[in-house]
Amino acid sequence: MLEQKNKLANDLIDYIDASPSPFHAVRNIKAALIKRGFKELLAENKWDLRRGSKYFISKNESSIIAFVTGMGNIEETGFRVVAAHTDSPSLKIKPAPEIYIKDKYLKLNTEVYGGAILHTWFDRPLSIAGRVSLKSNNPLKPISKYLNVKSPIAIIPSVAIHLNREINQGQKIENQKVLMPLLAMIDKHFEKDAFLQNLIAAELKIDAADILDFDLNLTNYGKGMLIGLNNEFISSGKLDDLAMVHAGIQALIDSKPTDATQVMVCFDNEEVGSLSKQGAGSPFLSNVLQRICQHFKNDFESFNRAIANSFLISADMAHAIHPNYQEKHDPINNPVINGGPVIKINANQKYTTDSDSSAVYEMLCRNANVPVQKYVNHSDIKGGSTLGSVSSGQLDFRSVDIGNPMLAMHSIRELGGVDDHYWVMKSFAEFYRY
């Protein structure tokens, strides 16, 4: 079993390393699905679905829904849905980002995406990744290219302590002033005009004049790894939430068709509220499930019955008790890394978990011999929300919010557990059996 756990954890590290942006994350999911016999669907086409068959559809190239159609009557068996998200906090590059200092330094203009722990972005090698949009013959359909600069081309240097004696006393980070990575030194041979555009063109081997716009972000340069005395920890960026994406996709592709329709949805933009066309607050999932239901039972009542017989596991990473900040946590409910997946509970419905849905997930874990933990916020500290509560605005599923325990959430490099990743994948596989 140790070999299985380490293999799955290393597969996760490889997946994250190959997925420096949501666009890359979805492209890699597609490749894994196609390899296992899934067929791509397009929203603009008519669908021809068969029972017990495998399909996927994407949105904005950054969200994806994969599903295996059930063998039973869909209005009676419903959907078994696991939801996760493809995005992570980062620094997004602004248009025309080049800023020149003293005619010697080139830095890039950025803005913060999501709730990043900003000081973790300083003094480490950074790269650039994302989507580039090119002109095409049809102005309504630009050509997309994915950029992943596989070299450490940027860095955000700290100011020396000699110039800021209060730096260790906790100072506010002025985003517009200091979160601009240094990219290059300028000399007489340096071509200033449209520097980034020319860099992109060289990387993608395209004509710079064809570049119309881009969705690019800075990303940590350097692969994750297993660490700890016994290699029990996973140290990597983007564990929140690519770890849940990886576990859910793995569970789905390994599952066999059942009476219920098995679904894995990976949304984008969770870190900024989910209110985009590819986010959990959009009708993306609802539209897909309606089309599946209407294909087999062409009436709206059947869809409503199917939803009533469905269940959602909202899978987003959870907080483990921090060994150095124990006072930040609830005094009783203290999840630990490698203690098993965590059921997340909040009295104010930041999470969708209630006693009914919590019992469902706990029984699934027991059946799969997976340990399970529970998390609630310290009563004086306001926590965040996640996919489940946002999705409820579109679909009134019974649902539970869960996630693997981790430390340093939203750092450029986070810390999770090898055992937990294996166990949560087992819990998803068990869920897909019903």
Side-chain angles (χ1 to χ4, degrees):
M1 183 177 292
L2 178 60
E3 184 178 347
Q4 284 180 292
K5 291 178 179 179
N6 286 342
K7 182 181 183 303
L8 187 68
N10 280 305
D11 284 346
L12 168 63
I13 290 170
D14 289 343
Y15 170 63
I16 292 175
D17 184 58
S19 304
S21 77
F23 307 104
H24 293 84
V26 168
R27 182 176 67 178
N28 293 327
I29 292 169
K30 288 183 178 182
L33 293 171
I34 290 170
K35 188 175 180 180
R36 296 295 293 269
F38 283 73
K39 177 183 177 182
E40 183 167 15
L41 301 172
L42 300 176
E44 61 268 29
N45 291 351
K46 185 176 181 179
W47 294 359
D48 181 19
L49 306 180
R50 307 293 173 90
R51 295 188 185 277
S53 297
K54 308 171 187 179
Y55 306 94
F56 68 88
I57 180 172
S58 63
K59 188 82 167 179
N60 189 51
E61 304 172 283
S62 61
S63 293
I64 189 167
I65 298 173
F67 60 94
V68 181
T69 50
M71 305 296 290
N73 293 324
I74 197 166
E75 70 273 25
E76 296 174 357
T77 57
F79 304 96
R80 304 292 175 266
V81 184
V82 177
H85 64 88
T86 59
D87 63 320
S88 302
S90 64
L91 302 181
K92 185 167 182 175
I93 298 173
K94 293 182 178 180
E98 298 90 350
I99 297 176
Y100 300 99
I101 305 298
K102 302 292 185 182
D103 212 29
K104 289 296 182 181
Y105 294 119
L106 167 63
K107 61 182 185 179
L108 295 181
N109 195 8
T110 70
E111 62 180 317
V112 178
Y113 175 90
I117 302 179
L118 296 176
H119 71 82
T120 65
W121 285 78
F122 287 80
D123 305 315
R124 64 172 64 235
L126 301 172
S127 189
I128 296 174
R131 179 176 65 179
V132 180
S133 297
L134 312 178
K135 69 179 182 181
S136 68
N137 293 329
N138 183 347
L140 295 180
K141 295 183 178 181
I143 296 168
S144 291
K145 296 283 186 181
Y146 299 153
L147 177 72
N148 182 10
V149 180
K150 296 183 179 181
S151 58
I153 63 171
I155 193 166
I156 303 173
S158 295
V159 65
I161 194 168
H162 313 83
L163 304 178
N164 184 2
R165 293 292 180 180
E166 291 75 42
I167 196 167
N168 292 325
Q169 307 308 313
Q171 288 192 315
K172 181 180 179 181
I173 294 173
E174 299 176 74
N175 296 357
Q176 186 62 73
K177 180 178 180 180
V178 302
L179 294 179
M180 290 195 258
L182 177 64
L183 200 66
M185 295 295 297
I186 301 170
D187 59 25
K188 63 181 180 180
H189 303 294
F190 192 89
E191 295 184 12
K192 287 185 178 181
D193 294 339
F195 175 83
L196 183 61
Q197 187 165 330
N198 289 326
L199 174 66
I200 293 168
E203 286 284 331
L204 296 178
K205 296 179 173 56
I206 58 175
D207 188 339
D210 289 340
I211 299 172
L212 299 177
D213 211 336
F214 52 74
D215 296 301
L216 297 178
N217 55 275
L218 294 177
T219 186
N220 182 46
Y221 180 82
K223 192 173 182 179
M225 62 183 71
L226 302 185
I227 67 169
L229 186 61
N230 300 302
N231 283 338
E232 61 262 63
F233 300 120
I234 304 171
S235 172
S236 175
K238 304 181 187 297
L239 291 176
D240 176 21
D241 193 35
L242 291 187
M244 297 295 95
V245 169
H246 179 264
I249 290 293
Q250 190 64 47
L252 181 67
I253 63 179
D254 287 342
S255 295
K256 297 179 180 179
T258 62
D259 286 346
T261 294
Q262 305 154 338
V263 182
M264 178 68 201
V265 53
C266 307
F267 291 114
D268 192 7
N269 302 132
E270 189 277 341
E271 299 293 356
V272 291
S274 296
L275 299 179
S276 64
K277 64 184 181 300
Q278 58 272 3
S282 77
F284 180 37
L285 177 60
S286 177
N287 289 345
V288 170
L289 299 188
Q290 285 188 55
R291 289 185 71 167
I292 296 170
C293 191
Q294 288 169 0
H295 189 85
F296 296 108
K297 290 284 184 178
N298 192 19
D299 64 90
F300 195 66
E301 182 178 358
S302 293
F303 176 68
N304 286 330
R305 291 176 63 192
I307 296 302
N309 285 310
S310 299
F311 195 88
L312 168 70
I313 297 177
S314 168
D316 200 358
M317 298 293 277
H319 299 295
I321 186 170
H322 198 297
N324 299 336
Y325 297 92
Q326 297 178 50
E327 72 278 4
K328 297 291 186 181
H329 299 268
D330 181 77
I332 303 298
N333 298 280
N334 298 149
V336 295
I337 289 178
N338 288 326
V342 176
I343 298 172
K344 302 192 289 187
I345 302 165
N346 182 270
N348 295 305
Q349 292 297 293
K350 294 289 187 179
Y351 305 129
T352 58
T353 307
D354 54 28
S355 63
D356 170 75
S357 61
S358 177
V360 170
Y361 188 71
E362 191 157 351
M363 285 190 287
L364 291 170
C365 288
R366 288 184 181 183
N367 290 349
N369 294 315
V370 169
V372 66
Q373 308 178 85
K374 292 185 179 179
Y375 172 84
V376 291
N377 292 324
H378 184 293
S379 295
D380 297 316
I381 298 176
K382 184 179 179 180
S385 60
T386 184
L387 299 164
S389 54
V390 177
S391 297
S392 294
Q394 294 289 330
L395 290 162
D396 55 342
F397 283 123
R398 295 164 67 209
S399 60
V400 63
D401 277 285
I402 67 99
N404 272 349
M406 66 178 294
L407 297 174
M409 185 182 290
H410 289 193
S411 170
I412 197 170
R413 191 139 181 149
E414 301 165 325
L415 191 71
V418 171
D419 290 351
D420 293 326
H421 192 59
Y422 176 76
W423 281 330
V424 80
M425 188 273 290
K426 282 190 66 179
S427 77
F428 295 158
E430 181 69 15
F431 175 54
Y432 284 139
R433 291 181 56 237
Y434 290 90

